[in-house]
Amino acid sequence: MKQTHCLALFLGFLFTLFALPPAAQAQPRFNPGDPVSFAATDIQGQRHTASQYTGRLVVVEFWAAWCGPCLAMVPEMNRLHNAYGQATDIHKAVAFLSINLDEDLAKGRAAAAKHDVLGTLFYDVQQEKPLAKLFFKEGFSIPHVFLIGPDGRLRWRGHPALLGRELEAAREGRPASEIDNSESPAGPSPFVLPTGVAGVDATALAARNALRRKPPGFARVLELAQDLPPTLLTEHTVRMCGRSIDRALEQINEPAQIASFKQARLNNPTGNAALTQWLNATRQSHWATPEKIATLRLAADNAAASNDSITAFDLYVDLAYTAPAGPDREHARRTLEKHTADAVFMDQRNVSKAQAVDLNP
């Protein structure tokens, strides 16, 4: 991300825009290097313990049916399962443990069946000792994955959109990425901030975090920039994070930091090209003029009247982000609140967006 000041301004803007009180951050119980012990029963009635996976990489994923971004990540998690979990030698296969957190068992089962969730499935509501309380000290943050190493110790945790890179690193004997502790708020929110394609905003926010560190993690930013395909650069959450990254880079004035950034760019020309493309897309997106706001609202209202709900939703997202405080922004906010309260619609919207863009490398 960027400096702490810009992060505070960004979060403050979002909470002001959507009139939400700040939510408490979830607190994962395990940090890299910590031994991880668990015991749980899967949907087939089979008992699983951490010790039986010694010598293997283990992915523990937490999700819920009410979490749109979780459902939109199912295709990517299934891709990783098929790529890494199907080795003939069981000791070389990555174990994927999928933990559903729905309190309503029927809803969890329906979502797992509808979205064809792969891996070994567990319903936390059926466990003697809930896994959510084992892996999180306070609250929980989803979608969220924990990657346990062959030695039974936590290797990495974070958003599933970044899991593919961590699995590759683990299998090639490379070190894991740093843990980004500024993840999404714990638990469901009365208003789900639209994320476009699942994982895209997580990548952008991780880049903002890297720039906020002291010294800034320029190499990490260049790596993350490669995770944002050009077709996703129009997503508003990405552009907003891109603005903060742009401002952070512009404010670099210490010779050592300038030299570090230049060296990182030389070391990773592919990442530098991706970052340049990202920032160019950001710089070309300006706050709309009154004429553009009026045109945008008309287009959103027309799409809604035509029952093209997904198109209307995305246009109202544009309107909510670009319109100044006033009736247009309030109109967009009220409409978005109505749609995001509809779990079925959010499911359809997130899945359609995930299918529209290939997130695979």
Side-chain angles (χ1 to χ4, degrees):
M1 293 190 193
K2 119 179 221 188
Q3 298 172 344
T4 303
H5 177 64
C6 277
L7 173 65
L9 288 176
F10 175 73
L11 292 177
F13 168 77
L14 290 183
F15 285 125
T16 299
L17 177 61
F18 297 115
L20 285 180
Q25 294 287 342
Q27 296 182 20
R29 189 175 299 278
F30 303 114
N31 290 310
D34 290 345
V36 180
S37 177
F38 63 84
T41 302
D42 68 20
I43 59 173
Q44 304 299 330
Q46 298 296 314
R47 192 70 170 166
H48 296 253
T49 62
S51 60
Q52 76 186 69
Y53 291 102
T54 300
R56 298 174 62 186
L57 285 169
V58 182
V59 172
V60 181
E61 178 201 11
F62 288 89
W63 65 281
W66 46 257
C67 172
C70 297
L71 299 180
M73 282 308 301
V74 171
E76 172 65 3
M77 290 299 297
N78 284 350
R79 182 187 74 83
L80 294 174
H81 176 273
N82 291 332
Y84 297 102
Q86 302 296 314
T88 303
D89 184 346
I90 188 64
H91 297 291
K92 294 182 179 180
V94 177
F96 285 79
L97 311 184
S98 180
I99 318 300
N100 174 267
L101 298 182
D102 284 285
E103 295 182 1
D104 186 332
L105 182 59
K107 290 183 178 179
R109 285 174 170 168
K114 177 180 178 180
H115 297 279
D116 192 25
V117 174
L118 299 181
T120 305
L121 185 59
F122 302 79
Y123 294 109
D124 216 27
V125 71
Q126 292 184 321
Q127 307 303 317
E128 294 179 8
K129 295 181 179 180
L131 291 169
K133 291 185 178 180
L134 172 62
F135 280 79
F136 292 93
K137 288 189 291 187
E138 182 177 334
F140 55 85
S141 174
I142 57 174
H144 201 117
V145 292
F146 292 80
L147 179 58
I148 304 171
D151 59 357
R153 296 178 180 274
L154 183 72
R155 175 181 169 88
W156 177 86
R157 57 176 169 77
H159 196 287
L162 307 178
L163 176 62
R165 173 177 291 167
E166 299 306 319
L167 287 174
E168 272 301 307
R171 289 166 65 89
E172 293 175 4
R174 293 185 280 111
S177 300
E178 292 183 43
I179 298 298
D180 179 0
N181 284 310
S182 57
E183 305 228 42
S184 57
S189 166
F191 179 82
V192 180
L193 181 65
T195 59
V197 178
V200 175
D201 58 330
T203 302
L205 290 172
R208 281 167 49 101
N209 275 340
L211 282 175
R212 189 177 56 152
R213 297 181 185 127
K214 296 182 180 181
F218 297 121
R220 179 65 173 148
V221 172
L222 293 173
E223 288 181 355
L224 288 164
Q226 298 175 73
D227 289 340
L228 292 171
T231 47
L232 300 184
L233 295 177
T234 57
E235 292 291 333
H236 266 286
T237 45
V238 174
R239 293 213 309 256
M240 291 184 71
C241 292
R243 291 189 188 100
S244 293
I245 292 169
D246 192 18
R247 289 194 295 267
L249 295 175
E250 288 177 350
Q251 292 174 9
I252 295 173
N253 50 27
E254 296 180 16
Q257 289 189 359
I258 293 174
S260 178
F261 182 41
K262 288 182 177 179
Q263 188 60 50
R265 295 169 68 181
L266 289 174
N267 292 343
N268 188 347
T270 302
N272 183 53
L275 180 63
T276 299
Q277 185 178 34
W278 183 3
L279 295 179
N280 284 342
T282 294
R283 290 162 183 158
Q284 292 169 4
S285 63
H286 301 290
W287 297 107
T289 63
E291 292 75 16
K292 290 181 179 178
I293 289 292
T295 300
L296 183 57
R297 174 166 179 170
L298 179 61
D301 289 343
N302 286 341
S306 301
N307 293 322
D308 187 354
S309 300
I310 292 178
T311 298
F313 184 91
D314 290 340
L315 290 171
Y316 283 124
V317 170
D318 284 352
L319 188 61
Y321 275 123
T322 57
D328 291 314
R329 180 193 289 182
E330 284 300 309
H331 174 62
R333 184 184 67 82
R334 287 194 300 270
T335 305
L336 290 172
E337 286 178 339
K338 179 183 68 175
H339 281 303
T340 53
D342 183 346
V344 174
F345 170 78
M346 288 303 294
D347 178 8
Q348 295 172 342
R349 190 261 177 182
N350 278 300
V351 171
S352 70
K353 293 286 284 186
Q355 292 175 343
V357 181
D358 183 8
L359 283 177
N360 298 340

